[in-house]
Amino acid sequence: MSIYQHFRPEEKEFIDQAINWIDQVKDSYAPKLTDFLDPRQQEILTSLLGNDSEAKLQFNGGSDFVERKRVLIYPDYYSPEPSDFNISLYDISYPKKFVTLEHRQILGTLMSLGVKREKFGDIIVTEECIQFVAAEEMEAYLTGNLEKIGKASVSIKRLPIGNIIQVQEKWEEQITTVSSLRLDSVLSAVLNMSRQKTQALITSGKVKVNFKQTENVSDECREGDTLSIRGFGRCKIMSIDGKTKKNKWRITLGRQK
């Protein structure tokens, strides 16, 4: 039985990489630190390792409440330390009185500097301040190059990782029924709009399934999937609870508050 059948076809490349990391740790008997992984990648890595007695996993992204985390895969003799994760926390100073900065602007600026997405973790935006987490090896580059976000002049300051803002996500659960588990059908129930409109959102690149953009309206949704819809927030399929007498699927959704 192929390991790939438990996952989506587009996840194959990451699965191969993850298997390679695990094998590397077992063969070299030394720890391996990954870049920042999104929650779906963390889930895949955890399920691939299973109950393996030769290798273990530990996650760290600066806080229990962050999404993106670096993962240390290590042999059974090893005791991980927080310093093994090589993560830094930065505070962004900007003229708050005159400018409002949004998550997508900060993300876009970091990417435009040529920083790969996997080299930084969560970006935390509150009314009081903005912080982001990055790989320690990026410090010199970030402090030397991050001077503007949009038209605003900014500066960054490194803070102890313990100073990270603890923002807990809240999910509001609701139970609904859908005619099929196709992405357009599930989104139609989530957003309370016609399938025609949800298909337009998907084909115009505004929808992500498990943090990856998809333009396929007939993608089948699975339990645990996170759906992000630009302009409408995010929801999670908490559980697929079987079929009703009218042959519809009953699902429990979490909407991000």
Side-chain angles (χ1 to χ4, degrees):
M1 190 168 73
S2 165
I3 197 159
Y4 302 113
Q5 73 179 47
H6 301 292
F7 303 98
R8 295 177 179 277
E10 64 271 19
E11 291 171 337
K12 182 180 184 298
E13 192 182 333
F14 178 75
I15 292 162
D16 290 343
Q17 187 180 34
I19 291 169
N20 187 34
W21 290 336
I22 294 166
D23 290 344
Q24 204 179 314
V25 169
K26 289 179 177 181
D27 295 343
S28 66
Y29 214 49
K32 159 78 185 163
L33 180 65
T34 74
D35 282 329
F36 287 92
L37 305 183
D38 65 42
R40 176 61 183 162
Q41 291 170 325
Q42 295 166 36
E43 209 176 278
I44 291 171
L45 187 49
T46 303
S47 68
L48 289 173
L49 193 66
N51 296 318
D52 199 310
S53 58
E54 292 178 62
K56 292 180 166 60
L57 292 177
Q58 202 162 304
F59 302 87
N60 194 333
S63 150
D64 288 344
F65 302 129
V66 298
E67 281 189 345
R68 301 179 66 85
K69 296 176 182 177
R70 295 190 91 166
V71 184
L72 191 74
I73 309 165
Y74 57 96
D76 52 3
Y77 76 88
Y78 194 81
S79 297
E81 298 287 335
S83 58
D84 289 337
F85 291 88
N86 297 343
I87 54 177
S88 317
L89 175 68
Y90 297 94
D91 179 78
I92 300 179
S93 296
Y94 63 101
K96 295 182 179 69
K97 278 187 180 176
F98 311 105
V99 179
T100 303
L101 294 180
E102 294 177 2
H103 186 285
R104 62 184 175 82
Q105 291 173 291
I106 301 153
L107 177 59
T109 301
L110 288 167
M111 303 283 277
S112 71
L113 290 175
V115 183
K116 288 184 177 162
R117 184 63 186 99
E118 55 269 26
K119 287 295 177 190
F120 54 97
D122 278 27
I123 297 165
I124 304 159
V125 181
T126 70
E127 285 178 15
E128 290 76 42
C129 65
I130 297 174
Q131 296 180 342
F132 70 94
V133 180
E136 215 162 65
E137 61 268 24
M138 300 304 299
E139 182 170 10
Y141 186 76
L142 289 168
T143 48
N145 290 281
L146 186 55
E147 295 168 345
K148 263 190 172 340
I149 296 176
K151 291 178 180 171
S153 294
V154 303
S155 64
I156 61 170
K157 182 173 78 176
R158 187 169 171 179
L159 299 175
I161 198 74
N163 290 25
I164 193 167
I165 301 163
Q166 306 282 345
V167 181
Q168 189 167 11
E169 281 187 343
K170 293 186 174 72
W171 297 88
E172 203 171 78
E173 287 196 13
Q174 65 183 77
I175 295 168
T176 189
T177 57
V178 289
S179 55
S180 92
L181 294 174
R182 275 173 49 127
L183 181 58
D184 57 350
S185 177
V186 172
L187 282 187
S188 178
V190 169
L191 302 175
N192 196 19
M193 63 169 63
S194 70
R195 275 175 82 160
Q196 202 176 356
K197 285 184 177 171
T198 60
Q199 285 172 355
L201 285 173
I202 298 162
T203 54
S204 61
K206 291 181 177 167
V207 175
K208 289 182 178 179
V209 177
N210 297 325
F211 310 92
K212 303 279 186 295
Q213 188 179 310
T214 180
E215 288 167 23
N216 185 359
V217 298
S218 61
D219 265 356
E220 186 159 312
C221 293
R222 304 180 183 197
E223 199 165 273
D225 281 353
T226 298
L227 313 177
S228 313
I229 311 101
R230 199 184 311 155
F232 295 93
R234 193 184 280 179
C235 75
K236 192 170 188 174
I237 299 175
M238 301 297 197
S239 62
I240 296 172
D241 309 314
K243 288 199 164 182
T244 66
K245 287 176 183 170
K246 292 183 177 173
N247 213 32
K248 286 189 162 193
W249 289 98
R250 184 184 286 111
I251 57 175
T252 304
L253 294 169
R255 286 294 298 269
Q256 201 172 24
K257 290 171 81 175

